[in-house]
Amino acid sequence: NNNNNNNVHKNNDLDMLGSLLGPAPPQQQPPFSMAAAVAASVSAPPASTAPTTAAVPNLAALNVDLNSIKPSQTPPAVVYDKNSVRVSLHFTADSPHPGVTVFVASFVSFLPMPVNNFQFLAAVPKNIQIKLQPASGSSMPGLMPGQNPVALTQVILVANPTKAPLRLRYKVLYNYSGQDVADTGEFSAFPQL
């Protein structure tokens, strides 16, 4: 299925962000519970011939429901904080399969005007796979005094069976007050996973 190929990336290098900007958004699959994700991954073939400690599941077949995720004791890391827009990466205690780590990205705006067309794109080294599940939305309302910002969320699955050092290159796209913003960066301060 080509839509799944748009959403799961085995990158040749970290500069594959351009390929993530395809014109069609990925189709949303119905969410599965963590138990269903584990069951679906048991018969999946390995994604590569590299030596692994466990067979790597087909990430396209995995879809983790946000409501079934258990948070980790590790505090979230701020990945991006610019123009009053913040991206945080939350670590979880869940793993739908050995060698697969679940993260939850949260996106908030502290701007008094709405943020629209928000997208978070990510790439990892070629020996690691990543799947970005659809975000909970693409717009954030303007922040009113005395209120908490509205957060968007996105579940991220990373298959790293060899426990290679994880580096995440990202691109953040959004629009506010008629201004398009496109920022890129890299995050590698992951806790021991």
Side-chain angles (χ1 to χ4, degrees):
N1 183 330
N2 286 339
N3 288 330
N4 287 339
N5 291 336
N6 288 337
N7 213 22
V8 178
H9 301 280
K10 278 180 58 179
N11 298 316
N12 291 329
D13 59 52
L14 286 172
D15 293 322
M16 294 300 294
L17 285 173
S19 70
L20 295 173
L21 297 174
Q27 284 188 327
Q28 186 168 358
Q29 299 175 2
F32 291 83
S33 69
M34 189 60 66
V38 169
S41 68
V42 169
S43 62
S48 73
T49 58
T52 63
T53 56
V56 178
N58 177 359
L59 287 185
L62 294 179
N63 204 10
V64 177
D65 180 20
L66 178 65
N67 295 321
S68 72
I69 295 173
K70 296 177 202 126
S72 164
Q73 297 297 318
T74 305
V78 175
V79 173
Y80 173 88
D81 195 353
K82 199 171 183 184
N83 301 324
S84 295
V85 173
R86 181 178 299 157
V87 175
S88 298
L89 198 58
H90 301 262
F91 307 102
T92 70
D94 294 313
S95 179
H97 190 278
V100 175
T101 304
V102 178
F103 301 100
V104 177
S106 66
F107 318 113
V108 294
S109 168
F110 298 95
L111 292 165
M113 70 280 296
V115 170
N116 297 302
N117 303 319
F118 186 89
Q119 283 188 293
F120 180 77
L121 308 171
V124 293
K126 66 181 178 179
N127 56 335
I128 301 171
Q129 294 180 52
I130 188 168
K131 177 182 179 181
L132 300 166
Q133 290 185 191
S136 62
S138 62
S139 296
M140 294 175 267
L143 183 62
M144 300 298 292
Q147 293 183 347
N148 290 325
V150 174
L152 301 177
T153 58
Q154 187 167 22
V155 175
I156 301 172
L157 305 177
V158 174
N160 186 7
T162 62
K163 305 281 187 209
L166 184 55
R167 292 180 321 187
L168 180 80
R169 272 220 180 140
Y170 63 85
K171 188 166 192 173
V172 178
L173 303 161
Y174 56 94
N175 177 287
Y176 72 98
S177 294
Q179 177 182 352
D180 288 327
V181 177
D183 283 325
T184 60
E186 184 172 311
F187 178 77
S188 61
F190 288 93
Q192 183 65 30
L193 303 173

PDB file of all heavy atoms in Angstrom, residues 42-65:
ATOM      1  N   VAL A  42       3.645 -10.030  15.763  1.00  0.00           N
ATOM      2  CA  VAL A  42       4.304 -11.300  16.038  1.00  0.00           C
ATOM      3  C   VAL A  42       4.705 -12.025  14.761  1.00  0.00           C
ATOM      4  O   VAL A  42       5.793 -12.577  14.661  1.00  0.00           O
ATOM      5  CB  VAL A  42       3.396 -12.191  16.921  1.00  0.00           C
ATOM      6  CG1 VAL A  42       3.922 -13.608  16.997  1.00  0.00           C
ATOM      7  CG2 VAL A  42       3.275 -11.584  18.297  1.00  0.00           C
ATOM      8  N   SER A  43       3.856 -11.977  13.719  1.00  0.00           N
ATOM      9  CA  SER A  43       4.168 -12.713  12.501  1.00  0.00           C
ATOM     10  C   SER A  43       4.848 -11.845  11.444  1.00  0.00           C
ATOM     11  O   SER A  43       5.075 -12.302  10.339  1.00  0.00           O
ATOM     12  CB  SER A  43       2.887 -13.305  11.913  1.00  0.00           C
ATOM     13  OG  SER A  43       2.007 -12.258  11.562  1.00  0.00           O
ATOM     14  N   ALA A  44       5.160 -10.597  11.761  1.00  0.00           N
ATOM     15  CA  ALA A  44       5.779  -9.703  10.780  1.00  0.00           C
ATOM     16  C   ALA A  44       7.219 -10.131  10.499  1.00  0.00           C
ATOM     17  O   ALA A  44       7.957 -10.485  11.405  1.00  0.00           O
ATOM     18  CB  ALA A  44       5.766  -8.259  11.288  1.00  0.00           C
ATOM     19  N   PRO A  45       7.644 -10.101   9.225  1.00  0.00           N
ATOM     20  CA  PRO A  45       9.014 -10.477   8.891  1.00  0.00           C
ATOM     21  C   PRO A  45       9.996  -9.394   9.301  1.00  0.00           C
ATOM     22  O   PRO A  45       9.607  -8.245   9.469  1.00  0.00           O
ATOM     23  CB  PRO A  45       8.973 -10.607   7.368  1.00  0.00           C
ATOM     24  CG  PRO A  45       7.882  -9.684   6.942  1.00  0.00           C
ATOM     25  CD  PRO A  45       6.863  -9.728   8.053  1.00  0.00           C
ATOM     26  N   PRO A  46      11.290  -9.733   9.466  1.00  0.00           N
ATOM     27  CA  PRO A  46      12.287  -8.718   9.779  1.00  0.00           C
ATOM     28  C   PRO A  46      12.374  -7.684   8.662  1.00  0.00           C
ATOM     29  O   PRO A  46      12.205  -8.008   7.498  1.00  0.00           O
ATOM     30  CB  PRO A  46      13.602  -9.502   9.903  1.00  0.00           C
ATOM     31  CG  PRO A  46      13.196 -10.931  10.052  1.00  0.00           C
ATOM     32  CD  PRO A  46      11.843 -11.073   9.427  1.00  0.00           C
ATOM     33  N   ALA A  47      12.618  -6.415   9.045  1.00  0.00           N
ATOM     34  CA  ALA A  47      12.692  -5.342   8.065  1.00  0.00           C
ATOM     35  C   ALA A  47      14.053  -5.281   7.386  1.00  0.00           C
ATOM     36  O   ALA A  47      14.196  -4.629   6.372  1.00  0.00           O
ATOM     37  CB  ALA A  47      12.384  -4.002   8.730  1.00  0.00           C
ATOM     38  N   SER A  48      15.066  -5.919   7.948  1.00  0.00           N
ATOM     39  CA  SER A  48      16.378  -5.882   7.325  1.00  0.00           C
ATOM     40  C   SER A  48      17.107  -7.188   7.619  1.00  0.00           C
ATOM     41  O   SER A  48      16.664  -7.985   8.426  1.00  0.00           O
ATOM     42  CB  SER A  48      17.184  -4.685   7.859  1.00  0.00           C
ATOM     43  OG  SER A  48      17.596  -4.956   9.170  1.00  0.00           O
ATOM     44  N   THR A  49      18.231  -7.363   6.972  1.00  0.00           N
ATOM     45  CA  THR A  49      19.018  -8.563   7.211  1.00  0.00           C
ATOM     46  C   THR A  49      20.117  -8.323   8.231  1.00  0.00           C
ATOM     47  O   THR A  49      20.921  -9.192   8.479  1.00  0.00           O
ATOM     48  CB  THR A  49      19.642  -9.060   5.891  1.00  0.00           C
ATOM     49  OG1 THR A  49      20.440  -8.009   5.363  1.00  0.00           O
ATOM     50  CG2 THR A  49      18.568  -9.483   4.907  1.00  0.00           C
ATOM     51  N   ALA A  50      20.153  -7.130   8.829  1.00  0.00           N
ATOM     52  CA  ALA A  50      21.161  -6.820   9.845  1.00  0.00           C
ATOM     53  C   ALA A  50      20.896  -7.678  11.080  1.00  0.00           C
ATOM     54  O   ALA A  50      19.753  -7.999  11.385  1.00  0.00           O
ATOM     55  CB  ALA A  50      21.102  -5.338  10.216  1.00  0.00           C
ATOM     56  N   PRO A  51      21.932  -8.046  11.798  1.00  0.00           N
ATOM     57  CA  PRO A  51      21.711  -8.843  12.999  1.00  0.00           C
ATOM     58  C   PRO A  51      20.886  -8.068  14.010  1.00  0.00           C
ATOM     59  O   PRO A  51      21.134  -6.896  14.249  1.00  0.00           O
ATOM     60  CB  PRO A  51      23.127  -9.117  13.521  1.00  0.00           C
ATOM     61  CG  PRO A  51      24.038  -8.239  12.761  1.00  0.00           C
ATOM     62  CD  PRO A  51      23.314  -7.735  11.556  1.00  0.00           C
ATOM     63  N   THR A  52      19.902  -8.720  14.568  1.00  0.00           N
ATOM     64  CA  THR A  52      19.026  -8.069  15.530  1.00  0.00           C
ATOM     65  C   THR A  52      18.804  -8.980  16.719  1.00  0.00           C
ATOM     66  O   THR A  52      19.000 -10.176  16.644  1.00  0.00           O
ATOM     67  CB  THR A  52      17.659  -7.738  14.900  1.00  0.00           C
ATOM     68  OG1 THR A  52      17.035  -8.973  14.526  1.00  0.00           O
ATOM     69  CG2 THR A  52      17.779  -6.837  13.694  1.00  0.00           C
ATOM     70  N   THR A  53      18.352  -8.359  17.800  1.00  0.00           N
ATOM     71  CA  THR A  53      18.022  -9.149  18.974  1.00  0.00           C
ATOM     72  C   THR A  53      16.598  -9.665  18.876  1.00  0.00           C
ATOM     73  O   THR A  53      16.239 -10.607  19.555  1.00  0.00           O
ATOM     74  CB  THR A  53      18.186  -8.302  20.249  1.00  0.00           C
ATOM     75  OG1 THR A  53      17.370  -7.134  20.136  1.00  0.00           O
ATOM     76  CG2 THR A  53      19.633  -7.896  20.439  1.00  0.00           C
ATOM     77  N   ALA A  54      15.759  -9.063  18.071  1.00  0.00           N
ATOM     78  CA  ALA A  54      14.393  -9.510  17.846  1.00  0.00           C
ATOM     79  C   ALA A  54      14.000  -9.131  16.431  1.00  0.00           C
ATOM     80  O   ALA A  54      14.512  -8.173  15.871  1.00  0.00           O
ATOM     81  CB  ALA A  54      13.453  -8.824  18.838  1.00  0.00           C
ATOM     82  N   ALA A  55      13.096  -9.905  15.844  1.00  0.00           N
ATOM     83  CA  ALA A  55      12.616  -9.585  14.510  1.00  0.00           C
ATOM     84  C   ALA A  55      11.957  -8.211  14.542  1.00  0.00           C
ATOM     85  O   ALA A  55      11.220  -7.879  15.460  1.00  0.00           O
ATOM     86  CB  ALA A  55      11.620 -10.635  14.048  1.00  0.00           C
ATOM     87  N   VAL A  56      12.237  -7.412  13.534  1.00  0.00           N
ATOM     88  CA  VAL A  56      11.671  -6.069  13.464  1.00  0.00           C
ATOM     89  C   VAL A  56      10.294  -6.165  12.821  1.00  0.00           C
ATOM     90  O   VAL A  56      10.150  -6.706  11.729  1.00  0.00           O
ATOM     91  CB  VAL A  56      12.579  -5.130  12.641  1.00  0.00           C
ATOM     92  CG1 VAL A  56      11.962  -3.751  12.532  1.00  0.00           C
ATOM     93  CG2 VAL A  56      13.945  -5.046  13.272  1.00  0.00           C
ATOM     94  N   PRO A  57       9.262  -5.669  13.483  1.00  0.00           N
ATOM     95  CA  PRO A  57       7.926  -5.736  12.904  1.00  0.00           C
ATOM     96  C   PRO A  57       7.773  -4.741  11.762  1.00  0.00           C
ATOM     97  O   PRO A  57       8.552  -3.799  11.631  1.00  0.00           O
ATOM     98  CB  PRO A  57       7.018  -5.357  14.069  1.00  0.00           C
ATOM     99  CG  PRO A  57       7.860  -4.440  14.886  1.00  0.00           C
ATOM    100  CD  PRO A  57       9.270  -4.990  14.771  1.00  0.00           C
ATOM    101  N   ASN A  58       6.776  -4.959  10.972  1.00  0.00           N
ATOM    102  CA  ASN A  58       6.425  -4.020   9.918  1.00  0.00           C
ATOM    103  C   ASN A  58       5.720  -2.841  10.600  1.00  0.00           C
ATOM    104  O   ASN A  58       4.592  -2.986  11.065  1.00  0.00           O
ATOM    105  CB  ASN A  58       5.514  -4.729   8.920  1.00  0.00           C
ATOM    106  CG  ASN A  58       5.033  -3.813   7.825  1.00  0.00           C
ATOM    107  OD1 ASN A  58       5.358  -2.626   7.805  1.00  0.00           O
ATOM    108  ND2 ASN A  58       4.261  -4.353   6.915  1.00  0.00           N
ATOM    109  N   LEU A  59       6.378  -1.696  10.678  1.00  0.00           N
ATOM    110  CA  LEU A  59       5.796  -0.553  11.381  1.00  0.00           C
ATOM    111  C   LEU A  59       4.491  -0.100  10.746  1.00  0.00           C
ATOM    112  O   LEU A  59       3.628   0.453  11.429  1.00  0.00           O
ATOM    113  CB  LEU A  59       6.782   0.611  11.449  1.00  0.00           C
ATOM    114  CG  LEU A  59       7.955   0.457  12.410  1.00  0.00           C
ATOM    115  CD1 LEU A  59       8.774   1.739  12.458  1.00  0.00           C
ATOM    116  CD2 LEU A  59       7.534   0.052  13.792  1.00  0.00           C
ATOM    117  N   ALA A  60       4.326  -0.333   9.449  1.00  0.00           N
ATOM    118  CA  ALA A  60       3.079   0.055   8.791  1.00  0.00           C
ATOM    119  C   ALA A  60       1.893  -0.693   9.392  1.00  0.00           C
ATOM    120  O   ALA A  60       0.768  -0.203   9.384  1.00  0.00           O
ATOM    121  CB  ALA A  60       3.168  -0.202   7.294  1.00  0.00           C
ATOM    122  N   ALA A  61       2.139  -1.886   9.933  1.00  0.00           N
ATOM    123  CA  ALA A  61       1.065  -2.692  10.518  1.00  0.00           C
ATOM    124  C   ALA A  61       0.779  -2.311  11.965  1.00  0.00           C
ATOM    125  O   ALA A  61      -0.226  -2.747  12.522  1.00  0.00           O
ATOM    126  CB  ALA A  61       1.426  -4.177  10.437  1.00  0.00           C
ATOM    127  N   LEU A  62       1.640  -1.513  12.565  1.00  0.00           N
ATOM    128  CA  LEU A  62       1.454  -1.109  13.966  1.00  0.00           C
ATOM    129  C   LEU A  62       0.786   0.248  14.036  1.00  0.00           C
ATOM    130  O   LEU A  62       1.137   1.167  13.298  1.00  0.00           O
ATOM    131  CB  LEU A  62       2.797  -1.040  14.691  1.00  0.00           C
ATOM    132  CG  LEU A  62       3.556  -2.335  14.891  1.00  0.00           C
ATOM    133  CD1 LEU A  62       4.872  -2.063  15.615  1.00  0.00           C
ATOM    134  CD2 LEU A  62       2.734  -3.345  15.649  1.00  0.00           C
ATOM    135  N   ASN A  63      -0.161   0.383  14.930  1.00  0.00           N
ATOM    136  CA  ASN A  63      -0.815   1.661  15.177  1.00  0.00           C
ATOM    137  C   ASN A  63      -1.187   1.672  16.648  1.00  0.00           C
ATOM    138  O   ASN A  63      -1.969   0.835  17.089  1.00  0.00           O
ATOM    139  CB  ASN A  63      -2.044   1.820  14.282  1.00  0.00           C
ATOM    140  CG  ASN A  63      -2.419   3.261  14.060  1.00  0.00           C
ATOM    141  OD1 ASN A  63      -1.666   4.171  14.426  1.00  0.00           O
ATOM    142  ND2 ASN A  63      -3.564   3.487  13.465  1.00  0.00           N
ATOM    143  N   VAL A  64      -0.612   2.562  17.412  1.00  0.00           N
ATOM    144  CA  VAL A  64      -0.801   2.585  18.860  1.00  0.00           C
ATOM    145  C   VAL A  64      -1.780   3.695  19.224  1.00  0.00           C
ATOM    146  O   VAL A  64      -1.598   4.849  18.837  1.00  0.00           O
ATOM    147  CB  VAL A  64       0.552   2.780  19.577  1.00  0.00           C
ATOM    148  CG1 VAL A  64       0.352   2.873  21.077  1.00  0.00           C
ATOM    149  CG2 VAL A  64       1.501   1.643  19.225  1.00  0.00           C
ATOM    150  N   ASP A  65      -2.818   3.331  19.980  1.00  0.00           N
ATOM    151  CA  ASP A  65      -3.815   4.288  20.435  1.00  0.00           C
ATOM    152  C   ASP A  65      -3.221   5.153  21.550  1.00  0.00           C
ATOM    153  O   ASP A  65      -2.689   4.621  22.534  1.00  0.00           O
ATOM    154  CB  ASP A  65      -5.036   3.520  20.940  1.00  0.00           C
ATOM    155  CG  ASP A  65      -6.148   4.424  21.436  1.00  0.00           C
ATOM    156  OD1 ASP A  65      -6.178   5.617  21.070  1.00  0.00           O
ATOM    157  OD2 ASP A  65      -6.992   3.933  22.207  1.00  0.00           O
TER     158      ASP A  65
END
